[in-house]
Amino acid sequence: METIIVRPIGLIHSCFTEKFGIPRQSGMVKSATATLELLPPFNREEMVRGLDFFSHIWVHFLFHRTVEEGWRPTVRPPWLGGKKRVGIFATRSPHRPNHMGMSAVKLVDIRREKKRYLLELSGVDFLDQTPVLDIKPYVPFSDSIAGATSGYTKIDQPRIKLKFSEQALQFCTSYEQETGRKIQLLIEEMIRQDPRPASQKGKKSRFGMLLWDVNIRWQVMGLQFEVLECRRIQ
């Protein structure tokens, strides 16, 4: 068997409009949200009937922005500080032979908007416009394995001190009132995860990232992080 043709069943509309800053795993940033739009001919009521009984779902998707970059037999995972190489199948890197990913996310709501069926999700790690290949319910008694080990991965939460400039605070308040999007909480959760690549730590002090249509500028001084400015992009 040389090739298999798959067809996307949905498309992700995410708060993450660029790769920088996306959480390394789903569930790490609870306030990160996305809408999964089912595409024809899969946008039918019977396709999601019964799914609302589940609190979480598995989303299988394509790392569409890395397809043209090809795949790599080994990578340097961030869990190891970006210094040691391990086999691609021992990581969750997007540079895989078939560029497929899977994430367990919270299913907030299922709604119909005219002829569209939309799944509202939270705790996501999807780039905007990500093609979705499949959806399955998350089943705790079988999907959560007691005694499972996590290899070289670890949760090493740095004790980051974070503050917002007056301009950033005022912008977040105004933006939330206008859009209903909780952007300040999202920024806080993301930066407390320290999204900087291992290669840039200690070398660069100022960073920028995009959330929805907002450009955020922030700086690092030791363990003191400060959001300097938030501006809406035109």
Side-chain angles (χ1 to χ4, degrees):
M1 184 181 298
E2 295 184 358
T3 60
I4 298 175
I5 298 175
V6 295
R7 181 177 181 180
I9 59 97
L11 188 68
I12 291 289
H13 304 284
S14 171
C15 61
F16 300 116
T17 52
E18 65 175 11
K19 290 192 288 185
F20 180 77
I22 294 180
R24 295 186 177 99
Q25 303 294 331
S26 61
M28 296 181 71
V29 176
K30 306 295 184 185
S31 59
T33 60
T35 300
L36 195 168
E37 178 184 359
L38 294 177
L39 300 176
F42 313 109
N43 57 336
R44 295 153 51 182
E45 184 275 335
E46 59 263 39
M47 300 288 287
V48 294
R49 189 180 301 160
L51 189 61
D52 57 340
F53 289 106
F54 297 88
S55 64
H56 292 73
I57 60 174
W58 287 106
V59 178
H60 300 258
F61 60 93
L62 185 72
F63 289 110
H64 63 295
R65 291 280 289 275
T66 62
V67 172
E68 293 184 357
E69 298 174 11
W71 63 276
R72 303 167 187 171
T74 63
V75 295
R76 297 186 178 96
W79 303 106
L80 295 175
K83 298 178 181 179
K84 183 178 179 181
R85 284 191 174 275
V86 297
I88 187 66
F89 295 140
T91 77
R92 295 188 172 185
S93 167
H95 297 95
R96 321 185 68 77
N98 289 314
H99 303 277
M100 292 177 62
M102 58 183 289
S103 293
V105 298
K106 182 175 178 60
L107 177 61
V108 178
D109 191 20
I110 302 174
R111 60 188 176 89
R112 182 177 179 179
E113 189 176 278
K114 295 183 179 180
K115 294 184 178 181
R116 300 194 303 165
Y117 275 91
L118 306 172
L119 280 62
E120 300 297 339
L121 312 174
S122 67
V124 305
D125 57 349
F126 306 127
L127 182 65
D128 190 47
Q129 300 301 300
T130 290
V132 175
L133 305 178
D134 198 9
I135 302 166
K136 296 184 180 74
Y138 177 90
V139 182
F141 77 84
S142 61
D143 293 350
S144 179
I145 302 174
T149 59
S150 55
Y152 56 80
T153 64
K154 61 181 179 178
I155 299 177
D156 185 16
Q157 189 79 351
R159 295 183 178 180
I160 289 173
K161 296 180 180 180
L162 176 63
K163 67 177 183 178
F164 286 71
S165 71
E166 188 63 30
Q167 186 277 338
L169 284 174
Q170 291 178 358
F171 177 91
C172 289
T173 299
S174 175
Y175 187 81
E176 290 178 11
Q177 291 174 347
E178 179 183 346
T179 66
R181 296 168 173 170
K182 298 180 179 180
I183 192 167
Q184 183 176 342
L185 178 60
L186 178 57
I187 293 171
E188 289 178 0
E189 290 189 359
M190 287 180 61
I191 291 182
R192 290 191 187 281
Q193 295 290 332
D194 194 352
R196 295 175 297 166
S199 60
Q200 294 186 17
K201 293 181 180 180
K203 297 180 180 179
K204 184 179 177 182
S205 61
R206 294 202 174 195
F207 298 85
M209 61 186 180
L210 288 173
L211 294 175
W212 291 299
D213 57 345
V214 179
N215 190 4
I216 297 111
R217 299 292 176 185
W218 49 284
Q219 71 176 3
V220 183
M221 297 182 66
L223 290 178
Q224 177 73 57
F225 288 52
E226 181 179 5
V227 179
L228 301 172
E229 183 182 48
C230 298
R231 298 284 183 189
R232 216 160 186 170
I233 58 176
Q234 301 298 323

